[in-house]
Amino acid sequence: MPYDNEKDAVMNLQRYLRQISYSDPDIISPPIDGIFDDVTRESVKSFQRKHSLAQTGIAVRDTWEAIYA
């Protein structure tokens, strides 16, 4: 899915993580502001931990595939 800029991509990631956090309290709910800050990084890590992925805090391909699933 192409994005016009990095901010759009980060906002999309934050939206997915926020939606997932509604039904899974172990996932940290990030702000939806397009800024990849410490809260967003911790949200990604909490998702990765929950799905037995490498806890890098970076949304690489395997993380995105798990998010989309």
Side-chain angles (χ1 to χ4, degrees):
M1 170 180 320
Y3 296 99
D4 290 335
N5 59 50
E6 184 177 335
K7 184 174 182 175
D8 289 343
V10 172
M11 286 179 75
N12 190 48
L13 172 65
Q14 291 169 328
R15 282 187 195 100
Y16 274 102
L17 290 169
R18 166 93 45 104
Q19 186 67 32
I20 293 167
S21 75
Y22 291 146
S23 60
D24 188 340
D26 292 334
I27 306 302
I28 297 168
S29 179
I32 300 175
D33 58 8
I35 300 169
F36 200 92
D37 61 2
D38 290 339
V39 176
T40 300
R41 184 173 282 99
E42 289 304 314
S43 181
V44 172
K45 282 184 181 179
S46 66
F47 179 86
Q48 290 169 328
R49 182 173 29 259
K50 184 80 175 195
H51 294 274
S52 301
L53 301 168
Q55 297 173 39
T56 62
I58 300 169
V60 294
R61 182 182 203 113
D62 61 345
T63 300
W64 272 110
E65 288 175 356
I67 287 171
Y68 285 138

